[in-house]
Amino acid sequence: MDMKRDYYEDVRLLDSGPQVFWLVLLLAALSVFPFWADSYQIYTLNLMAINVIVALGLNLLVGYTGQISLGHAGFFAIGAYSTLALMLNAHLPFVLALPLAGFISAAFGFLLGLPALRLEGPYLAIATLGFGLTITQILGRLDAFGGHMGLQAPPLDLFGLKVATDAGRYAVIMPICVVMTWGLRNLTKTRVGRAFVAVRDSDIAAECIGVNLTYYKTLAFAVSAFFTGIGGGLMAFILGFISPHTFNVMVSIMFLAMVVVGGLGSILGSIMGAVLITWLQLELARIGELPYLGPLLTELSQQVFTLSGLPNVQYVVFGLIMVLIIIVEPLGLYGFWIRTKIYWRTWPF
């Protein structure tokens, strides 16, 4: 049913008229969202948009190229610190500091991609994990980045306009998210995107057909780090303050969870995974306030554990939900979406 008949069907960005309709409807809904939503809802969508940017970049590396990474918190930190440092020390405007921070992060991604030429699987995962931990340790000891005290984000100024509200930040973050999503979809349709997939499927076969493994493996790391650096730069203004503790190893694990739960090698899966994991993080952080379950867990913590350990219950629930999704549908949320479409098109057969 979804079989492509010629090359142009394979490279076009949208496959059908209904896809164009729903995309236009989604963009229209996102445009009017700040006019009726409250501040917390806008803040939530801002976080989701930033995580979508990071998940897209990580999925390009893990899902499209087949290289694992547990160190994306390091790129996230580089993007955040670079953006603030360029604005505070070099007095660059936000519109220049953010892309420059992305390129700085991409440069580190390129360097980290070099060991990937010889490492794979768990060895590469450990190497990238070490990179993420090292970056936060270094940033915490440099006075130029505020040391352990961190950095305060300066007022966000965009072409002379002060951006001080969640709605204002939404007007900055959401267009960047849409453009970067569109750009990544374009990239996966090009010769570069097909080379990434060839590397993922088989290193040897890709090399036999002329794919330069050194170039494309390091390029995948660089592009992925660029996306993550942009996400980090935007996150610095959402939080208003950053410190090395903001970018711990759990951040890297959450990013990887977004990609796996959403669906490897899928742009739509990256979006769905980032939205779901972000929502779960926010809701489970307030697990003690949930009706019925909240008081029960609070009482259980007082009797068996400690009350201060209650927030850790969110990680247990969070882990169970992820395990359930992976067991029921190994392709993640994108797999659910594909099965739903097939069922809808073939019903009642």
Side-chain angles (χ1 to χ4, degrees):
M1 184 177 297
D2 292 328
M3 184 179 296
K4 304 293 189 301
R5 296 175 179 82
D6 57 44
Y7 173 74
Y8 295 102
E9 286 188 17
D10 189 45
V11 299
R12 68 186 181 189
L13 295 177
L14 298 172
D15 295 330
S16 61
Q19 282 192 2
V20 176
F21 170 78
W22 287 112
L23 177 62
V24 171
L25 192 65
L26 174 64
L27 293 177
L30 290 175
S31 302
V32 300
F33 179 77
F35 294 105
W36 58 267
D38 59 35
S39 182
Y40 179 74
Q41 291 170 331
I42 297 173
Y43 166 78
T44 302
L45 216 62
N46 283 339
L47 284 183
M48 289 178 176
I50 290 172
N51 285 334
V52 165
I53 294 173
V54 177
L56 286 170
L58 185 57
N59 208 343
L60 180 76
L61 184 69
V62 180
Y64 282 90
T65 321
Q67 302 180 95
I68 191 75
S69 173
L70 284 174
H72 265 52
F75 299 128
F76 204 53
I78 291 171
Y81 273 96
S82 299
T83 303
L84 297 191
L86 289 170
M87 294 179 69
L88 292 170
N89 301 328
H91 305 291
L92 290 181
F94 173 76
V95 291
L96 287 180
L98 184 66
L100 278 178
F103 283 114
I104 292 172
S105 184
F108 278 91
F110 172 78
L111 294 176
L112 185 62
L114 294 176
L117 300 174
R118 294 184 177 275
L119 300 176
E120 61 181 16
Y123 304 103
L124 182 57
I126 294 300
T128 53
L129 177 63
F131 165 79
L133 295 174
T134 303
I135 285 296
T136 53
Q137 290 297 320
I138 293 174
L139 290 173
R141 285 167 171 74
L142 293 178
D143 293 335
F145 297 116
H148 288 289
M149 301 300 292
L151 288 176
Q152 187 79 33
L156 182 55
D157 188 302
L158 198 65
F159 303 113
L161 296 175
K162 298 291 182 184
V163 181
T165 63
D166 288 315
R169 285 186 281 271
Y170 177 90
V172 175
I173 294 171
M174 192 53 70
I176 294 175
C177 178
V178 171
V179 169
M180 295 191 77
T181 304
W182 193 262
L184 192 77
R185 183 166 175 80
N186 265 311
L187 179 65
T188 58
K189 297 286 185 180
T190 63
R191 182 168 59 93
V192 175
R194 291 192 292 276
F196 285 156
V197 175
V199 171
R200 176 196 64 189
D201 291 344
S202 172
D203 278 11
I204 297 174
E207 199 164 19
C208 288
I209 61 175
V211 174
N212 187 330
L213 294 184
T214 303
Y215 175 73
Y216 285 106
K217 281 193 171 183
T218 52
L219 180 64
F221 261 99
V223 174
S224 180
F226 177 82
F227 273 68
T228 309
I230 294 292
L234 296 173
M235 181 61 85
F237 290 94
I238 291 289
L239 300 176
F241 172 79
I242 58 172
S243 72
H245 306 291
T246 310
F247 309 98
N248 54 49
V249 67
M250 280 303 296
V251 175
S252 292
I253 294 174
M254 286 299 173
F255 288 153
L256 190 59
M258 292 174 191
V259 173
V260 175
V261 169
L264 291 171
S266 163
I267 290 177
L268 181 60
S270 304
I271 297 172
M272 291 191 292
V275 169
L276 176 66
I277 297 296
T278 307
W279 180 78
L280 283 176
Q281 279 183 301
L282 294 174
E283 292 301 313
L284 292 177
R286 302 181 299 166
I287 196 168
E289 302 173 12
L290 293 176
Y292 306 111
L293 182 62
L296 181 65
L297 289 175
T298 302
E299 185 178 350
L300 183 66
S301 295
Q302 289 172 334
Q303 294 178 356
V304 182
F305 306 110
T306 62
L307 192 58
S308 60
L310 181 60
N312 294 325
V313 175
Q314 66 170 302
Y315 294 111
V316 177
V317 178
F318 186 73
L320 290 174
I321 292 173
M322 285 199 298
V323 169
L324 185 64
I325 290 176
I326 298 302
I327 290 176
V328 175
E329 180 51 81
L331 294 178
L333 298 175
Y334 182 68
F336 277 116
W337 170 247
I338 293 296
R339 289 169 61 182
T340 303
K341 279 205 309 183
I342 293 174
Y343 177 80
W344 176 260
R345 289 179 179 178
T346 57
W347 187 86
F349 301 102

